[in-house]
Amino acid sequence: MDEIRLTAREVEQCRTVVRELAVSFGTVEDPELLARATVHAQELPRPLRYRLNDFRLAESSAAVLISGFPVDEDRIGPTPERWGAQPDTTSTFPEEAFFLLCASLLGEPFGWATQQGSRLVHDIVPIRGHEELQLNSASTTQIWWHVEDAFHPFRAEYLGMMCMRNPDRVATTYAPVNGVKLASDVVDVLFQPRFVIRPDESHQIEADAGDEGTMVRRSYERVGQMRDEPVRIAVFFGDRDAPYLRLDPYFMDRTPDDPEAEAALAALSAELDRTLTDLTLAPGQIVFVDNYRAVHGRNPFRPRYDGRDRWLKRVNVTRDLRKSRELRAGPDARVLY
Ligand SMILES: O=C(O)CCC(=O)C(=O)O
Ligand SMILES: [Fe+2]
């Protein structure tokens, strides 16, 4: 994993860019802020921009960690009890703005109409009642490693997570695809469209949509269709010698009619299990996982429900918004329906 450590001087430079945005904006969800972020991000320190550009373009690593940006523990306020429940969106504005500026050096932040009320920046917090679900709001159960939104053709190229607090040092888990060793005939099978991935539960909790508009309803219908009539896809794609990957075994069908495909998936899963490592984010740290080149998950933990729970902000980033135009309301709209 690449690590970028900001120097004290660089942090000051980053804060200057953020302060300028804070004059005009109170929330990072303002569409105008995102339009400006792309431009203002070019005022971030040049070493940071070079390193993120290498990560994006040369695929120097399957994840990059950015350390050094401070989090003001008092100002951010208590960990919300559920996503979207932060009483004052300005309380985390500096952290989230820096996060989005970094994200916009990799591509375009976007959101899903079927997730967290169409917000771009998600809250990852434990929610009472979700403890055992296979969702990021779970706690006592582990989140099995996965490619984010693996079922969807327009899933993120990068998944960004920024830590607000993590007092119990709960680890995100991570495994890059280039660490796996597989026989050549297994790789062949993984490159063939013989696998089924269904939408995960985070896209199916209708009550959480927060918006009953036709677009949202249609979006749930589309996800429902992907669940009920999934098409077979390849797990590996791209370069035969350095494949990209797309899988989420927890939501994948077994294929008893195709034992060879089942065995290939089992072999890849065993390799990813073998190479899975812990990444414990500390407040202020940001990780961008290359969602084409690595899987991620999370270890289980005991939730506190006392306002001091683990709290991450999360953003989906695509390199190219245009490819999902049929699912968006306008050329610069960032929500996929
Ligand atoms: O909480 C984490 O560290 C990661 C959870 C996860 O898989 C996600 O939010 O996409
Ligand atoms: Fe995830």
Side-chain angles (χ1 to χ4, degrees):
M1 178 170 323
D2 275 353
E3 183 170 0
I4 304 172
R5 288 174 195 269
L6 300 171
T7 64
R9 219 178 120 216
E10 287 171 342
V11 168
E12 247 345 282
Q13 222 177 314
C14 297
R15 293 175 85 164
T16 304
V17 184
V18 165
R19 265 196 300 271
E20 195 187 332
L21 290 172
V23 171
S24 316
F25 302 98
T27 166
V28 293
E29 299 294 332
D30 191 321
E32 182 57 28
L33 177 134
L34 263 303
R36 292 215 208 155
T38 310
V39 177
H40 290 223
Q42 298 304 328
E43 291 156 29
L44 292 176
R46 199 181 271 181
L48 171 63
R49 285 183 284 142
Y50 271 134
R51 294 283 298 276
L52 286 178
N53 196 51
D54 255 13
F55 171 65
R56 179 182 67 86
L57 198 60
E59 301 182 348
S60 54
S61 176
V64 62
L65 183 68
I66 304 169
S67 302
F69 195 83
V71 167
D72 186 330
E73 163 78 16
D74 291 330
R75 178 187 24 78
I76 63 172
T79 300
E81 284 176 14
R82 46 178 296 115
W83 59 259
Q86 189 179 326
D88 173 12
T89 56
T90 60
S91 70
T92 49
F93 184 86
E95 290 81 7
E96 289 183 74
F98 176 63
F99 183 30
L100 280 182
L101 286 164
C102 292
S104 55
L105 289 172
L106 295 175
E108 304 290 346
F110 73 96
W112 300 96
T114 46
Q115 269 193 349
Q116 299 213 2
S118 304
R119 284 178 174 78
L120 294 184
V121 179
H122 297 166
D123 290 309
I124 307 302
V125 295
I127 298 179
R128 219 183 268 277
H130 289 196
E131 291 83 359
E132 294 287 320
L133 301 179
Q134 199 53 215
L135 284 174
N136 61 47
S137 48
S139 46
T140 51
T141 195
Q142 73 172 304
I143 300 182
W144 297 97
W145 53 254
H146 55 277
V147 160
E148 198 67 23
D149 302 312
F151 72 97
H152 206 290
F154 302 136
R155 67 196 173 284
E157 261 112 358
Y158 306 102
L159 185 73
M161 289 177 276
M162 181 177 200
C163 182
M164 298 293 106
R165 63 169 58 92
N166 189 8
D168 301 316
R169 301 187 53 75
V170 179
T172 303
T173 54
Y174 157 84
V177 63
N178 66 1
V180 308
K181 292 184 174 58
L182 294 168
S184 171
D185 56 333
V186 171
V187 174
D188 289 342
V189 174
L190 292 168
F191 265 97
Q192 294 159 8
R194 293 162 70 169
F195 305 89
V196 171
I197 312 180
R198 295 185 195 258
D200 63 78
E201 288 153 0
S202 73
H203 287 273
Q204 293 174 40
I205 301 179
E206 204 145 343
D208 280 354
D211 184 341
E212 289 311 309
T214 330
M215 292 278 272
V216 177
R217 240 186 346 266
R218 219 180 293 142
S219 183
Y220 276 111
E221 280 163 17
R222 204 174 286 125
V223 169
Q225 192 179 358
M226 290 184 189
R227 183 183 57 233
D228 301 335
E229 300 158 39
V231 288
R232 294 206 173 205
I233 57 100
V235 164
F236 277 178
F237 59 103
D239 181 7
R240 181 73 171 62
D241 296 326
Y244 297 135
L245 90 174
R246 175 181 186 185
L247 83 168
D248 186 349
Y250 192 90
F251 295 100
M252 287 171 83
D253 290 2
R254 303 283 81 92
T255 49
D257 57 323
D258 187 352
E260 205 179 33
E262 209 163 71
L265 184 60
L268 172 60
S269 294
E271 275 296 285
L272 289 167
D273 277 336
R274 182 182 67 77
T275 55
L276 197 69
T277 54
D278 285 354
L279 166 66
T280 305
L281 292 174
Q285 284 186 319
I286 296 172
V287 65
F288 287 103
V289 176
D290 187 330
N291 201 36
Y292 278 29
R293 302 181 58 235
V295 295
H296 70 279
R298 187 183 67 220
N299 289 340
F301 63 100
R302 189 165 300 286
R304 301 167 165 240
Y305 302 135
D306 65 350
R308 286 289 169 272
D309 263 311
R310 183 178 190 266
W311 182 12
L312 308 184
K313 295 281 181 179
R314 181 181 77 168
V315 71
N316 284 285
V317 181
T318 177
R319 289 166 65 122
D320 176 18
L321 267 178
R322 193 174 256 190
K323 67 186 174 193
S324 62
R325 181 66 182 86
E326 75 222 59
L327 300 186
R328 294 179 300 105
D332 58 352
R334 290 173 188 273
V335 178
L336 268 59
Y337 283 91

